[in-house]
Amino acid sequence: TLDEMIKKGTRLATLLHVFNLREGFEPNDFVMPRRAAGDPQFTVGPFANRTMDFENLKKQYYDAMGFEIATGAIKKGRLAELGLDSLVK
């Protein structure tokens, strides 16, 4: 079902995040190339004359995923909610 697919995708993204945390990555390590964010702005196409606020998008993603924006830590209870608590010590 759609709900199962969303939960599996969330579990997979969380596992990737756990791996990145273990390897020492922090939220500030994840940046978008300036050009991809529209700097300089595109002149044609659906994104013409637009830029993206990547930091705001990252904050929204971290909030939705249950990650702390300042540290990248996973919020208490989130791993158990996803059935992943046995994988992390």
Side-chain angles (χ1 to χ4, degrees):
T1 67
L2 178 60
D3 288 339
E4 290 170 334
M5 287 175 42
I6 290 171
K7 187 166 185 174
K8 288 188 187 300
T10 302
R11 285 171 48 101
L12 182 61
T14 301
L15 282 171
L16 176 62
H17 189 74
V18 167
F19 174 84
N20 285 338
L21 288 174
R22 186 192 74 184
E23 297 302 310
F25 285 89
E26 297 178 354
N28 290 335
D29 294 326
F30 297 97
V31 296
M32 177 177 274
R34 288 179 42 222
R35 182 65 180 134
D39 183 18
Q41 290 184 339
F42 297 105
T43 57
V44 296
F47 296 103
N49 303 317
R50 297 184 186 181
T51 57
M52 292 178 26
D53 181 356
F54 180 69
E55 289 304 314
N56 186 43
L57 290 174
K58 183 167 57 172
K59 182 185 179 316
Q60 290 178 33
Y61 173 76
Y62 272 50
D63 286 343
M65 292 297 292
F67 307 154
E68 298 287 343
I69 189 65
T71 63
I74 300 169
K75 293 179 182 175
K76 185 175 183 174
R78 185 64 170 153
L79 293 175
E81 182 182 313
L82 296 170
L84 299 174
D85 53 330
S86 64
L87 300 177
V88 180
K89 295 181 182 185

